Structure formats: C-alpha cells, structure tokens
Amino acid sequence: MKLVQHFLIFCFLFLISYSAAAQPFTQADTLRGSNGPGRDWWDVLHYDITIKPNYLNKTITGTTTIEFKVIKKAGKMQIDLQDSLIIDSINIRISDEHYKISKVKNVNFQKTEGVYFIDTINYVLSTTNWITIYYHGKPHEAVNPPWDGGMVWTKDKNNNPWISTACQDLGASAWYPCKDIQSDEPDHGAALRIIVPDSLVGIGNGRLTEKRSLGDSTTQYSWHVKSPINNYDIVPYIGKYVHFGEIYKGEKGDLDMDYWVLDYNLDKAKKQFKDAARMMKAFEYWFGPYPFYEDGYKLVDAPYLGMENQSAIAYGNQYKMGYDGHDRSESGWGLKWDFIIVHESGHEWFGNNITSKDIADMWIHEAFATYSEVLFTEYYYGKKAADDYCIGLRKIIRNDTPVIGPYGVNKEGSNDMYEKSANMIHTIRQVINNDSVFRKILRGLNHTFYHQTVTTKQIEDYISTESHINFSKVFDQYLRTTQIPVLEYKIKDYTLSYRWTNCVKGFNMPITVNCKGTWPIKPTEQWKTISMYPEGTVNFSIDRNFYIKTKKVE
Ligand SMILES: [Zn+2]
C-alpha cells in the first residue's frame, strides 16, 4: 500500500525525500536500517505478542516473547521499540548445549539512539532461546493512516471503538518490540493475543486459536500465523466485527476465505467481497498458488484505506469500485473492480511471500502489486483493456528520484516504485514476447523465493536467466536512474535508422515497431539502419507498450 492519495501529499513527500537526500543519514537510521552487530548473530524464529489497548487514554500494555536461534557468537542484542513506549523489564530463558532450558532470569538493558541494547549473554551457538519484554506506553498515534501511520484509535458509525495499527513506514516497533528490519522474518510465524472489552472482537493474522474470557469484562482473542511474516504486516483489528466466509477451491485445495466486517457493513460486504474470489482465481493463474493456505485468506474492515497485512488484508475502500471511487489509470478499466481487494491481495505474492530484505528494494513489492492490477484486468477484460490500464498509469510517474533507495538506512526510493516499475515489467514482458514464458517467470519467482526475503539482484537475475535475455541494463535504466530512454529514429525512403539516447551505457533493449506488420529491432547507442522494402514506412509507429520516449530526427 502507501500509494499517495493526493497531489499535495505527493508534493509534501517529495519535499521530505528531497531534503532527506541532502542530509547525511544518522546513526539511528543505520541502526534501524542495517543488519548490524546487535542483530546479525540471532535469527528470529517466532514472535508471541500480547497487547491490551486502553481506548480511553490511548495507551497500550504489552508483552512480547521473541524466540530466536543463535547463529554466531552473541554480542549485545538490539531490540527496536519506539520512543513513546517504555520497557518495564526483560527476562530470558536460555538453552545449554544439552538443550536444557534454564529458569527465567532478568537481564539488564540500556537505551541508545532510539533502540534498546540488552547486555551480552553467553548463549550457546545454534541453540534456541527466548526473550520476553514487558512494556507499556502511548504509541505514536497515526495522523493519516496508512500513509502517516501508527496506532489508529477511532470510532465506527455507531460510536463503538475501532482500533488498529498501520505501520509500514513507521515500523512495527511503533507498537511492539522486535527486530524491525524486513530481512529477518520469524521462520515459524507469530502469535498475536489481543485483549479487548467483552463487547468488542479482536482480529489478527492467521487463524483464531482461542477465545478466552479473562473474567474482568475483557476477552483475549489469540491468533496464530504459521508462515514467516513481515513485522509491519502483523496487525490487531479491534471493533464490532461480524464474520462470513467461503471455501475457495484453489490450486492447493480448499482455501478458507474469511471476511470480518463491522456489523452494519455485512450486506454491502457480501456483494463487494465477491471480488476476493475473482482476485484469487486470476492471481493463482498468474502467480501460482496463494502462498498461505495454512493461514487462510482474510479481508478485514479497517479504519484506513488499505494495507497488505498478511492473511488479514486491511480493507477500507468504502465499498466502492476503483481506488476510493477513482480510476487511477483514467482508462475506465480501474472502475470495474475494487482496487484495495486487488492491489493489497496482490501483495500476498509480492511483498508477503517474497519480501525485500531492505526497504530500498521495495519496488519488488509495489511493482508487482501494481502489475497485478494489470493482470487482473487482463484476466477478466482482455489484453487491450490491460494495456490501456497499464499505459494509463504512466501519467502518475514523476521520475523525481530513482526507484531504488539508499541501502542500509531504512529509506525507500521514489514513489515511482508503483507505476513506473509496473510499466518496466510491462516493457520487459514485451521484450520477452512470449506470455507463457512471462507467466512461468511470475509463477517461478513465487515458487523459487517461497516465504523468503530477497535482494533486487536475486529478482533481476532470475528474470534474466529464465527469459534467456540479459535485462541488467533495463533494470539499471528504470530502477537506478530517472531517465526514460529515447528512441531516436529517421525515416528515409524505405529505410529506418534508429538508436537509443538518454540511456545508461550499453543500453540495448530490443523493441517492436509497426509498419505493415511488426518489426523487432535491436537498437544500441549507435545508429543502425534497416530496409523496410517493399512494404515501406507508411503508417510507421512504435509499439505503445514499451515505456520509452521517441524522437523523430530529420
Ligand atoms: Zn502496495
């Protein structure tokens, strides 16, 4: 998610990113954004999070147990928890070399540069250990979720409390202690225990494992997600929820598709959420099986537009078609389906199944989720509709800064990671010029990198290898520069001359031109000439599906 909503906000973000680019990054940015010495010796296996929100004073109390494996000699342990929250105590349970687990023991910790460091413990290499953190405080309140996120405290139309979190940019450490970097997902998933007043319902990721009355007018809802999950995808939803669902017959068998909506939205949701099964059918075709059968699929009414919360997608599109009632492509096709159901669910494959290690590479999430909109359109409305939709999105592209951001400092690249990168994929697809190969690549990515975190290089190399076309210059051009390649061409009698300009050195992307029939050409930075005899160059055009600029020179 996180698509900019209005032009003004876009400008605002642009100014922030522009000024940030001029400033050196801080030590805190590096601590947060890199796999540093407080993080690299331990591998998260599981989070067990308990949260009790207090609606009246907008505070939470929580407990998080992190199960982790020691993968190299232990040093101090870095735990991220943002400033507005206070750690009360930390205890550990450690395993010795015989896998005997010691009794609970308290440990000391200090706060530096916005993170907590726990004193070095003599953990045994390769053992599993547990750290439990007790904390409380007033988490940062979301100003404009999901973009300017945090804890969301709101009320539904009937004045019932409606609470959630939206923390993709801010980070999950806005509400629970964790290793707040995308490169380390809990291998065995996460438990989320939500304590709510008896009148409300708590929804989390994965499946409901227990609902228990605590006897003090509160109920604890325990949810468990078995698959690895991004920190920012873990989410409590608290409100006056009701449930309906269906069993979808998918590629891997029966898939539970569950819908949790506010009581007064039930009738609307039963109509609108028909797009969920349509989405599942189209995306299993293009991307392969839904990646989280064991955890099920859920759509949950959310007090903000949307977010790809794994196996519990946040839905806040007001039961309208398009993106809050608009077609971002202005082609008309974007009003045929519910943007949030399609885009956010597309992230289940790209973003949640395959996650970038560093948020600098977030194009991997957003390019393919945006392209999932194109593929959904194609599946139901045909190729021309899909092309129109994809090309229509180009109007939003800014080419302000590169799509890939700086590494190791918790900084994303340009918002062009959505529409520009989707158009890059569309362009690559034209070069491959074989949709069964293209589809095999999309499915292969999800199979090869199943439940993994990846670098951009892994994705780029996979596409080049599997297509037998070296796309490295194409990726460099579109992801690492703001320049759009220009095809310069001359037409003289029956000859066409052409070359690439405004491009990275060695840029050599083949394209297709149309005259009477289609002509594949392989431009480089040097002029080349071909004869188009005897058809001639009448009705000459360049395939619009390539995201390039053209310039006719005399
Ligand atoms: Zn997205």
Side-chain angles (χ1 to χ4, degrees), residues 500-546:
W500 286 121
T501 60
N502 199 40
C503 57
V504 296
K505 201 167 170 348
F507 188 72
N508 57 356
M509 184 173 78
I511 61 159
T512 308
V513 296
N514 307 305
C515 287
K516 210 175 178 185
T518 56
W519 297 66
I521 58 171
K522 291 184 176 173
T524 62
E525 289 161 279
Q526 280 73 48
W527 283 103
K528 287 184 179 181
T529 301
I530 54 164
S531 166
M532 302 185 102
Y533 186 82
E535 286 87 356
T537 50
V538 190
N539 300 327
F540 175 84
S541 69
I542 292 158
D543 189 336
R544 67 182 184 128
N545 288 302
F546 290 84

Short mmCIF file of all heavy atoms in Angstrom, two decimals, residues 500-546:
data_model
loop_
_atom_site.label_atom_id
_atom_site.label_comp_id
_atom_site.label_asym_id
_atom_site.label_seq_id
_atom_site.Cartn_x
_atom_site.Cartn_y
_atom_site.Cartn_z
N TRP A 500 19.41 4.39 -29.43
CA TRP A 500 18.98 4.80 -28.09
C TRP A 500 19.79 6.02 -27.66
O TRP A 500 21.00 6.05 -27.87
CB TRP A 500 19.23 3.69 -27.06
CG TRP A 500 18.29 2.54 -27.10
CD1 TRP A 500 18.59 1.23 -27.29
CD2 TRP A 500 16.87 2.59 -26.92
NE1 TRP A 500 17.46 0.46 -27.25
CE2 TRP A 500 16.38 1.27 -27.02
CE3 TRP A 500 15.94 3.62 -26.69
CZ2 TRP A 500 15.04 0.95 -26.89
CZ3 TRP A 500 14.60 3.30 -26.57
CH2 TRP A 500 14.16 1.98 -26.67
N THR A 501 19.11 6.97 -27.02
CA THR A 501 19.81 8.06 -26.33
C THR A 501 19.17 8.21 -24.95
O THR A 501 18.16 7.58 -24.66
CB THR A 501 19.70 9.40 -27.09
OG1 THR A 501 18.32 9.74 -27.19
CG2 THR A 501 20.33 9.32 -28.46
N ASN A 502 19.77 9.09 -24.14
CA ASN A 502 19.27 9.34 -22.78
C ASN A 502 19.21 8.04 -21.97
O ASN A 502 18.24 7.77 -21.26
CB ASN A 502 17.88 9.98 -22.83
CG ASN A 502 17.53 10.67 -21.51
OD1 ASN A 502 18.39 11.31 -20.89
ND2 ASN A 502 16.30 10.53 -21.08
N CYS A 503 20.25 7.23 -22.13
CA CYS A 503 20.20 5.91 -21.50
C CYS A 503 21.52 5.58 -20.81
O CYS A 503 22.52 6.28 -21.00
CB CYS A 503 19.89 4.85 -22.56
SG CYS A 503 21.06 4.84 -23.90
N VAL A 504 21.49 4.50 -20.01
CA VAL A 504 22.73 4.05 -19.36
C VAL A 504 23.64 3.46 -20.43
O VAL A 504 23.17 3.00 -21.48
CB VAL A 504 22.45 3.01 -18.25
CG1 VAL A 504 21.63 3.60 -17.12
CG2 VAL A 504 21.79 1.75 -18.80
N LYS A 505 24.94 3.50 -20.14
CA LYS A 505 25.91 2.99 -21.11
C LYS A 505 25.63 1.52 -21.42
O LYS A 505 25.42 0.73 -20.51
CB LYS A 505 27.32 3.15 -20.51
CG LYS A 505 28.43 3.16 -21.51
CD LYS A 505 29.72 3.63 -20.83
CE LYS A 505 30.97 3.48 -21.65
NZ LYS A 505 30.97 2.71 -22.84
N GLY A 506 25.60 1.20 -22.69
CA GLY A 506 25.38 -0.19 -23.08
C GLY A 506 23.92 -0.59 -23.16
O GLY A 506 23.60 -1.76 -23.37
N PHE A 507 23.01 0.39 -23.01
CA PHE A 507 21.57 0.07 -23.07
C PHE A 507 21.24 -0.47 -24.46
O PHE A 507 21.58 0.13 -25.47
CB PHE A 507 20.76 1.34 -22.79
CG PHE A 507 19.28 1.10 -22.64
CD1 PHE A 507 18.78 0.46 -21.52
CD2 PHE A 507 18.39 1.52 -23.63
CE1 PHE A 507 17.40 0.25 -21.38
CE2 PHE A 507 17.03 1.31 -23.50
CZ PHE A 507 16.53 0.67 -22.37
N ASN A 508 20.59 -1.62 -24.48
CA ASN A 508 20.42 -2.31 -25.77
C ASN A 508 19.06 -3.02 -25.86
O ASN A 508 18.94 -4.09 -26.43
CB ASN A 508 21.54 -3.35 -25.94
CG ASN A 508 21.56 -4.34 -24.77
OD1 ASN A 508 20.81 -4.20 -23.81
ND2 ASN A 508 22.43 -5.33 -24.85
N MET A 509 18.04 -2.42 -25.24
CA MET A 509 16.75 -3.10 -25.18
C MET A 509 16.12 -3.23 -26.57
O MET A 509 15.96 -2.23 -27.27
CB MET A 509 15.81 -2.32 -24.25
CG MET A 509 14.47 -2.99 -24.04
SD MET A 509 13.50 -2.14 -22.79
CE MET A 509 12.90 -0.74 -23.74
N PRO A 510 15.76 -4.45 -26.96
CA PRO A 510 15.05 -4.60 -28.23
C PRO A 510 13.64 -4.05 -28.11
O PRO A 510 13.04 -4.10 -27.03
CB PRO A 510 14.99 -6.13 -28.44
CG PRO A 510 15.81 -6.74 -27.36
CD PRO A 510 15.93 -5.73 -26.27
N ILE A 511 13.10 -3.53 -29.20
CA ILE A 511 11.70 -3.10 -29.19
C ILE A 511 11.04 -3.52 -30.50
O ILE A 511 11.67 -4.08 -31.39
CB ILE A 511 11.53 -1.57 -28.99
CG1 ILE A 511 12.18 -0.79 -30.12
CG2 ILE A 511 12.06 -1.10 -27.66
CD1 ILE A 511 11.61 0.60 -30.22
N THR A 512 9.76 -3.21 -30.57
CA THR A 512 9.00 -3.59 -31.77
C THR A 512 8.44 -2.33 -32.41
O THR A 512 7.86 -1.49 -31.72
CB THR A 512 7.83 -4.52 -31.36
OG1 THR A 512 8.37 -5.58 -30.60
CG2 THR A 512 7.14 -5.09 -32.58
N VAL A 513 8.61 -2.23 -33.72
CA VAL A 513 7.97 -1.13 -34.46
C VAL A 513 6.95 -1.75 -35.42
O VAL A 513 7.06 -2.90 -35.83
CB VAL A 513 8.99 -0.26 -35.22
CG1 VAL A 513 9.93 0.44 -34.26
CG2 VAL A 513 9.78 -1.07 -36.24
N ASN A 514 5.96 -0.96 -35.72
CA ASN A 514 4.89 -1.43 -36.61
C ASN A 514 4.90 -0.63 -37.90
O ASN A 514 5.00 0.59 -37.87
CB ASN A 514 3.52 -1.24 -35.97
CG ASN A 514 3.46 -1.85 -34.59
OD1 ASN A 514 3.75 -3.03 -34.41
ND2 ASN A 514 3.12 -1.05 -33.60
N CYS A 515 4.83 -1.34 -39.02
CA CYS A 515 4.55 -0.68 -40.30
C CYS A 515 3.39 -1.46 -40.87
O CYS A 515 2.30 -1.45 -40.33
CB CYS A 515 5.75 -0.75 -41.23
SG CYS A 515 7.05 0.34 -40.71
N LYS A 516 3.71 -2.19 -41.90
CA LYS A 516 2.74 -3.17 -42.36
C LYS A 516 3.23 -4.47 -41.72
O LYS A 516 4.14 -5.10 -42.19
CB LYS A 516 2.84 -3.25 -43.89
CG LYS A 516 1.56 -3.62 -44.57
CD LYS A 516 1.78 -3.54 -46.07
CE LYS A 516 0.52 -3.95 -46.82
NZ LYS A 516 0.79 -3.98 -48.27
N GLY A 517 2.72 -4.81 -40.58
CA GLY A 517 3.29 -5.90 -39.80
C GLY A 517 4.18 -5.36 -38.69
O GLY A 517 4.39 -4.14 -38.59
N THR A 518 4.71 -6.26 -37.88
CA THR A 518 5.55 -5.82 -36.76
C THR A 518 7.00 -6.18 -37.04
O THR A 518 7.29 -7.24 -37.61
CB THR A 518 5.11 -6.48 -35.44
OG1 THR A 518 5.13 -7.90 -35.61
CG2 THR A 518 3.72 -6.06 -35.03
N TRP A 519 7.89 -5.30 -36.65
CA TRP A 519 9.32 -5.47 -36.88
C TRP A 519 10.06 -5.40 -35.55
O TRP A 519 10.10 -4.35 -34.92
CB TRP A 519 9.85 -4.35 -37.79
CG TRP A 519 9.27 -4.31 -39.16
CD1 TRP A 519 7.99 -4.04 -39.51
CD2 TRP A 519 9.98 -4.54 -40.37
NE1 TRP A 519 7.84 -4.08 -40.86
CE2 TRP A 519 9.06 -4.39 -41.43
CE3 TRP A 519 11.33 -4.86 -40.68
CZ2 TRP A 519 9.42 -4.55 -42.77
CZ3 TRP A 519 11.69 -5.00 -42.01
CH2 TRP A 519 10.72 -4.86 -43.03
N PRO A 520 10.66 -6.50 -35.11
CA PRO A 520 11.51 -6.39 -33.92
C PRO A 520 12.84 -5.75 -34.32
O PRO A 520 13.43 -6.15 -35.33
CB PRO A 520 11.70 -7.85 -33.49
CG PRO A 520 11.35 -8.68 -34.67
CD PRO A 520 10.63 -7.85 -35.68
N ILE A 521 13.28 -4.75 -33.58
CA ILE A 521 14.59 -4.15 -33.87
C ILE A 521 15.42 -4.14 -32.58
O ILE A 521 14.87 -4.19 -31.49
CB ILE A 521 14.48 -2.72 -34.45
CG1 ILE A 521 13.70 -1.79 -33.50
CG2 ILE A 521 13.84 -2.74 -35.83
CD1 ILE A 521 13.75 -0.31 -33.92
N LYS A 522 16.73 -4.09 -32.76
CA LYS A 522 17.63 -4.15 -31.60
C LYS A 522 18.51 -2.91 -31.57
O LYS A 522 19.69 -2.96 -31.94
CB LYS A 522 18.50 -5.40 -31.68
CG LYS A 522 17.70 -6.68 -31.46
CD LYS A 522 18.63 -7.89 -31.45
CE LYS A 522 17.83 -9.14 -31.14
NZ LYS A 522 18.63 -10.35 -31.28
N PRO A 523 17.96 -1.79 -31.12
CA PRO A 523 18.77 -0.57 -31.12
C PRO A 523 19.88 -0.63 -30.06
O PRO A 523 19.75 -1.34 -29.06
CB PRO A 523 17.76 0.53 -30.73
CG PRO A 523 16.43 -0.11 -30.71
CD PRO A 523 16.63 -1.58 -30.57
N THR A 524 20.95 0.10 -30.33
CA THR A 524 22.01 0.33 -29.35
C THR A 524 22.21 1.85 -29.32
O THR A 524 21.40 2.59 -29.88
CB THR A 524 23.31 -0.38 -29.75
OG1 THR A 524 23.75 0.18 -31.00
CG2 THR A 524 23.11 -1.88 -29.90
N GLU A 525 23.32 2.29 -28.73
CA GLU A 525 23.57 3.73 -28.73
C GLU A 525 24.09 4.21 -30.08
O GLU A 525 24.19 5.40 -30.31
CB GLU A 525 24.56 4.07 -27.62
CG GLU A 525 23.95 3.92 -26.23
CD GLU A 525 25.02 3.81 -25.17
OE1 GLU A 525 25.56 2.71 -24.99
OE2 GLU A 525 25.33 4.84 -24.55
N GLN A 526 24.48 3.27 -30.95
CA GLN A 526 24.96 3.66 -32.28
C GLN A 526 23.82 3.57 -33.29
O GLN A 526 22.94 2.72 -33.16
CB GLN A 526 26.08 2.72 -32.74
CG GLN A 526 27.44 3.05 -32.15
CD GLN A 526 27.54 2.66 -30.69
OE1 GLN A 526 27.18 1.55 -30.32
NE2 GLN A 526 28.00 3.59 -29.85
N TRP A 527 23.87 4.43 -34.29
CA TRP A 527 22.84 4.39 -35.33
C TRP A 527 22.90 3.05 -36.06
O TRP A 527 23.96 2.53 -36.35
CB TRP A 527 23.05 5.51 -36.35
CG TRP A 527 22.60 6.86 -35.84
CD1 TRP A 527 23.40 7.87 -35.40
CD2 TRP A 527 21.26 7.33 -35.77
NE1 TRP A 527 22.65 8.96 -35.02
CE2 TRP A 527 21.32 8.65 -35.23
CE3 TRP A 527 20.00 6.79 -36.07
CZ2 TRP A 527 20.18 9.43 -35.02
CZ3 TRP A 527 18.86 7.56 -35.85
CH2 TRP A 527 18.96 8.86 -35.33
N LYS A 528 21.71 2.52 -36.34
CA LYS A 528 21.59 1.32 -37.18
C LYS A 528 20.53 1.62 -38.23
O LYS A 528 19.63 2.42 -37.98
CB LYS A 528 21.12 0.12 -36.36
CG LYS A 528 22.15 -0.48 -35.43
CD LYS A 528 21.54 -1.71 -34.78
CE LYS A 528 22.49 -2.42 -33.85
NZ LYS A 528 21.85 -3.62 -33.27
N THR A 529 20.62 0.95 -39.34
CA THR A 529 19.64 1.19 -40.41
C THR A 529 19.12 -0.15 -40.93
O THR A 529 19.88 -1.11 -41.05
CB THR A 529 20.31 1.94 -41.58
OG1 THR A 529 20.82 3.19 -41.06
CG2 THR A 529 19.33 2.24 -42.70
N ILE A 530 17.81 -0.21 -41.13
CA ILE A 530 17.26 -1.40 -41.80
C ILE A 530 16.41 -0.97 -42.99
O ILE A 530 15.86 0.12 -43.01
CB ILE A 530 16.39 -2.30 -40.88
CG1 ILE A 530 15.28 -1.50 -40.21
CG2 ILE A 530 17.23 -3.06 -39.88
CD1 ILE A 530 14.19 -2.37 -39.62
N SER A 531 16.33 -1.88 -43.93
CA SER A 531 15.48 -1.62 -45.10
C SER A 531 14.09 -2.17 -44.82
O SER A 531 13.95 -3.27 -44.29
CB SER A 531 16.08 -2.32 -46.31
OG SER A 531 15.11 -2.35 -47.34
N MET A 532 13.09 -1.41 -45.13
CA MET A 532 11.73 -1.88 -44.94
C MET A 532 11.04 -2.12 -46.28
O MET A 532 9.82 -2.07 -46.39
CB MET A 532 10.96 -0.90 -44.05
CG MET A 532 11.68 -0.73 -42.71
SD MET A 532 10.82 0.28 -41.53
CE MET A 532 10.11 -0.95 -40.48
N TYR A 533 11.85 -2.35 -47.29
CA TYR A 533 11.36 -2.64 -48.63
C TYR A 533 10.71 -4.03 -48.66
O TYR A 533 11.23 -4.94 -47.99
CB TYR A 533 12.55 -2.60 -49.61
CG TYR A 533 12.16 -2.74 -51.04
CD1 TYR A 533 11.70 -1.64 -51.76
CD2 TYR A 533 12.23 -3.99 -51.66
CE1 TYR A 533 11.34 -1.79 -53.09
CE2 TYR A 533 11.86 -4.13 -52.98
CZ TYR A 533 11.41 -3.02 -53.70
OH TYR A 533 11.05 -3.16 -55.00
N PRO A 534 9.61 -4.32 -49.29
CA PRO A 534 8.90 -3.38 -50.14
C PRO A 534 7.71 -2.70 -49.44
O PRO A 534 7.05 -1.87 -50.04
CB PRO A 534 8.38 -4.30 -51.25
CG PRO A 534 8.08 -5.58 -50.55
CD PRO A 534 9.09 -5.69 -49.44
N GLU A 535 7.45 -3.07 -48.13
CA GLU A 535 6.24 -2.52 -47.50
C GLU A 535 6.32 -1.01 -47.31
O GLU A 535 5.31 -0.31 -47.34
CB GLU A 535 5.99 -3.17 -46.13
CG GLU A 535 5.48 -4.60 -46.21
CD GLU A 535 6.59 -5.62 -46.32
OE1 GLU A 535 7.77 -5.21 -46.42
OE2 GLU A 535 6.30 -6.82 -46.30
N GLY A 536 7.56 -0.54 -47.10
CA GLY A 536 7.71 0.90 -46.90
C GLY A 536 7.41 1.29 -45.47
O GLY A 536 7.12 0.44 -44.62
N THR A 537 7.45 2.56 -45.18
CA THR A 537 7.33 3.04 -43.81
C THR A 537 6.03 3.83 -43.60
O THR A 537 5.91 4.62 -42.69
CB THR A 537 8.54 3.91 -43.46
OG1 THR A 537 8.71 4.87 -44.49
CG2 THR A 537 9.79 3.09 -43.29
N VAL A 538 5.07 3.58 -44.49
CA VAL A 538 3.77 4.21 -44.30
C VAL A 538 3.16 3.64 -43.02
O VAL A 538 3.35 2.48 -42.70
CB VAL A 538 2.84 3.90 -45.50
CG1 VAL A 538 1.58 4.75 -45.43
CG2 VAL A 538 3.58 4.14 -46.80
N ASN A 539 2.44 4.45 -42.28
CA ASN A 539 1.81 4.04 -41.02
C ASN A 539 2.83 3.54 -40.00
O ASN A 539 2.55 2.66 -39.21
CB ASN A 539 0.77 2.92 -41.25
CG ASN A 539 -0.34 3.38 -42.17
OD1 ASN A 539 -0.69 4.56 -42.15
ND2 ASN A 539 -0.85 2.48 -42.98
N PHE A 540 4.02 4.11 -40.03
CA PHE A 540 5.04 3.70 -39.07
C PHE A 540 4.63 4.10 -37.64
O PHE A 540 4.16 5.20 -37.40
CB PHE A 540 6.37 4.38 -39.42
CG PHE A 540 7.45 4.11 -38.41
CD1 PHE A 540 8.20 2.95 -38.48
CD2 PHE A 540 7.71 5.02 -37.38
CE1 PHE A 540 9.19 2.69 -37.55
CE2 PHE A 540 8.70 4.76 -36.45
CZ PHE A 540 9.44 3.59 -36.54
N SER A 541 4.80 3.17 -36.71
CA SER A 541 4.56 3.51 -35.30
C SER A 541 5.43 2.61 -34.44
O SER A 541 5.94 1.58 -34.89
CB SER A 541 3.09 3.33 -34.93
OG SER A 541 2.75 1.96 -34.93
N ILE A 542 5.58 3.03 -33.19
CA ILE A 542 6.37 2.24 -32.24
C ILE A 542 5.40 1.66 -31.22
O ILE A 542 4.51 2.37 -30.75
CB ILE A 542 7.43 3.14 -31.58
CG1 ILE A 542 8.46 3.54 -32.66
CG2 ILE A 542 8.12 2.44 -30.42
CD1 ILE A 542 9.24 4.77 -32.36
N ASP A 543 5.57 0.39 -30.92
CA ASP A 543 4.65 -0.30 -30.01
C ASP A 543 4.49 0.49 -28.70
O ASP A 543 5.46 0.73 -27.98
CB ASP A 543 5.23 -1.71 -29.72
CG ASP A 543 4.24 -2.57 -28.96
OD1 ASP A 543 3.35 -2.01 -28.27
OD2 ASP A 543 4.36 -3.81 -29.05
N ARG A 544 3.25 0.89 -28.42
CA ARG A 544 2.97 1.75 -27.26
C ARG A 544 3.20 1.05 -25.92
O ARG A 544 3.24 1.69 -24.87
CB ARG A 544 1.52 2.25 -27.33
CG ARG A 544 0.51 1.11 -27.14
CD ARG A 544 -0.94 1.60 -27.26
NE ARG A 544 -1.85 0.50 -26.96
CZ ARG A 544 -2.84 0.55 -26.09
NH1 ARG A 544 -3.11 1.67 -25.46
NH2 ARG A 544 -3.62 -0.49 -25.88
N ASN A 545 3.34 -0.25 -25.94
CA ASN A 545 3.50 -0.97 -24.68
C ASN A 545 4.90 -0.82 -24.08
O ASN A 545 5.10 -1.16 -22.92
CB ASN A 545 3.18 -2.45 -24.88
CG ASN A 545 1.70 -2.66 -25.06
OD1 ASN A 545 0.92 -2.28 -24.20
ND2 ASN A 545 1.30 -3.21 -26.20
N PHE A 546 5.85 -0.34 -24.87
CA PHE A 546 7.19 -0.07 -24.34
C PHE A 546 7.17 1.29 -23.66
O PHE A 546 6.78 2.29 -24.29
CB PHE A 546 8.23 -0.08 -25.46
CG PHE A 546 8.47 -1.46 -26.03
CD1 PHE A 546 7.64 -1.97 -27.02
CD2 PHE A 546 9.52 -2.23 -25.56
CE1 PHE A 546 7.86 -3.24 -27.54
CE2 PHE A 546 9.75 -3.51 -26.09
CZ PHE A 546 8.92 -4.01 -27.08
#
